């Protein structure tokens, strides 16, 4: 549950004294320094994959950037990040990342943010395809809006689970299926000498055509679901599959924290109200700390997010 704190406003009707503006400004900053205005939320990142994941965080210009914009999560690890009131941004998982021993440059096969560093420094996932979790916090009467987007394609199973919030559409959403193992042949992204399929791109990204990107003459009602977007929608019905796929794909909570789970159990039921989970922090300081992640069940298995091209039908 979020920490909520209110600051009482001075009511001039109870006094004839008018505070000098210099004193008012000083008191405002004094109060702000010891009392949070509004509330903050926590994002708990959990890696249930069999492989390393490097989450990235992008913050919109109107929001305050959290303490980190990119970090490492080994299999079985989790990390809690605090974000400020009205935070607006997106998060994703980078995969198959390496650091060049000669230059020191850091890069990832999927989800790379193009900074050559572990930190994304408020640059987005510049190299799709990538599964995105998007948030706009405290937008209307304290309500948050969140979604999982496959508009730019897919690289990892990912779900968002609200923790402790309220609202009729305050439920867990995302994509629990390994789409890399089912990706249409013309959308696969292959990396490595072993022919590993590491991501599944959108038709827009693959073909760069207006009819797939909902641009040019294909905006608004002219942009409709096609066989490619239907592939993503059928597999992951609570996620965005194309730009105008707005019906039943944006969700809302009030006063929630959020758990972002990479490679959740494939048996996870989406659209469910979840009980609050309190991961146990490992040794560390501050609000941003590594934690031992909650698993969906004692027998939960973790997911490998790459596969071999030869397992795809109709590929020679």
């Amino acid at each position: 549950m979020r920490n909520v704190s209110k600051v009482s406003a001075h009511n001039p009707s109870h006094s004839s004294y008018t505070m000098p503006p210099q004193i008012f400004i000083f008191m405002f900053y004094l109060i702000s320094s010891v009392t949070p205005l509004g509330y903050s939320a926590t994002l708990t990142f959990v890696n249930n994959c069999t492989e390393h994941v490097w989450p990235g965080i992008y913050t919109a210009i109107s929001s305050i950037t959290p303490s980190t914009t990119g970090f490492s999560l080994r299999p079985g690890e989790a990390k809690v990040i605090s974000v400020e009131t009205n935070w607006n941004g997106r998060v994703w998982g980078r995969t198959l990342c390496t650091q060049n021993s000669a230059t020191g440059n850091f890069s990832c096969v999927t989800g790379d943010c193009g900074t050559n560093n572990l930190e994304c420094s408020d640059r987005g996932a510049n190299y799709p395809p990538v599964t995105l979790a998007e948030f706009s916090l405290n937008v209307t009467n304290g309500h948050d809006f969140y979604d999982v987007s496959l508009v730019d394609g897919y690289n990892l199973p990912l779900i968002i689970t609200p923790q402790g919030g309220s609202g009729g559409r305050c439920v867990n959403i995302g994509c629990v299926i390994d789409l890399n193992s089912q990706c249409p042949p013309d959308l696969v992204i292959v990396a490595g000498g072993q022919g590993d399929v590491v991501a599944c791109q959108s038709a827009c990204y693959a073909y760069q055509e207006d009819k797939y990107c909902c641009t040019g003459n294909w905006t608004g009602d002219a942009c409709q679901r096609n066989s490619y977007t239907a592939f993503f929608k059928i597999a992951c019905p609570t996620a965005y599959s194309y730009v105008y796929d707005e019906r039943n794909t944006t969700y809302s909570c009030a006063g929630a924290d959020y758990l972002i789970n990479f490679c959740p159990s494939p048996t996870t039921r989406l659209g469910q109200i979840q009980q609050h989970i309190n991961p146990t922090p490992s040794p560390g300081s501050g609000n941003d700390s590594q934690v031992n992640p909650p698993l969906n069940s004692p027998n939960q298995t973790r997911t490998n997010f790459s596969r071999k091209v030869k397992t795809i039908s109709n590929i020679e």
Side-chain angles (χ1 to χ4, degrees), residues 132-205:
L132 289 172
E134 302 177 309
F135 298 89
S136 294
L137 303 185
N138 197 23
V139 175
T140 305
N141 297 324
H143 280 78
D144 309 329
F145 294 93
Y146 62 100
D147 68 81
V148 170
S149 173
L150 304 179
V151 173
D152 292 330
Y154 164 101
N155 69 332
L156 281 173
L158 179 155
I159 63 171
I160 300 173
T161 302
Q163 302 285 281
S166 61
R169 291 181 61 78
C170 187
V171 296
N172 64 339
I173 63 168
C175 190
V176 301
I177 295 177
D178 177 17
L179 295 185
N180 290 339
S181 64
Q182 306 176 32
C183 186
D186 52 337
L187 300 184
V188 298
I189 296 290
V190 179
Q194 300 299 317
D196 290 332
V197 174
V198 296
C200 186
Q201 59 191 324
S202 66
C204 172
Y205 187 70

Side-chain angles (χ1 to χ4, degrees), residues 150 225 228-241 245 247-249:
L150 304 179
R225 187 183 302 181
Y228 291 112
T229 60
F231 161 74
F232 290 105
K233 195 65 177 179
I234 292 171
C236 307
T238 61
Y240 269 84
S241 60
D245 183 19
R247 184 177 181 181
N248 296 325
T249 50

Side-chain angles (χ1 to χ4, degrees), residues 242-301:
Y242 65 103
V243 173
Y244 293 96
D245 183 19
E246 297 180 352
R247 184 177 181 181
N248 296 325
T249 50
T250 298
Y251 295 80
S252 177
C253 283
D257 297 310
Y258 297 92
L259 187 148
I260 297 99
N261 192 343
F262 299 108
C263 302
S265 168
T267 60
T268 301
R269 295 182 61 189
L270 299 180
Q272 306 293 308
I273 298 174
Q274 301 294 300
Q275 294 182 349
H276 186 69
I277 299 173
N278 281 312
T280 303
S282 61
S285 60
N287 292 327
D288 301 344
S289 57
Q290 297 291 123
V291 301
N292 298 317
L295 297 181
N296 292 320
S297 70
N299 298 318
Q300 175 175 329
T301 58

Side-chain angles (χ1 to χ4, degrees), residues 52-55 70-74 77-79 94 118 290:
H52 214 127
V53 173
W54 291 261
F71 53 93
S72 167
L73 275 185
R74 294 181 178 87
E77 283 189 339
K79 186 177 179 67
R94 295 170 287 176
L118 176 63
Q290 297 291 123

Side-chain angles (χ1 to χ4, degrees), residues 69-133:
T69 58
F71 53 93
S72 167
L73 275 185
R74 294 181 178 87
E77 283 189 339
K79 186 177 179 67
V80 179
I81 302 295
S82 294
V83 293
E84 298 298 326
T85 305
N86 302 324
W87 186 75
N88 186 347
R90 51 178 52 175
V91 303
W92 67 97
R94 295 170 287 176
T95 66
L96 304 171
C97 302
T98 56
Q99 188 167 22
N100 187 292
S101 58
T103 65
N105 288 345
F106 179 87
S107 63
C108 304
V109 173
T110 74
D112 193 84
C113 45
T115 61
N116 293 324
N117 292 299
L118 176 63
E119 295 279 340
C120 286
S121 303
D122 280 343
R123 295 183 65 176
N126 290 328
Y127 299 95
V130 66
T131 312
L132 289 172

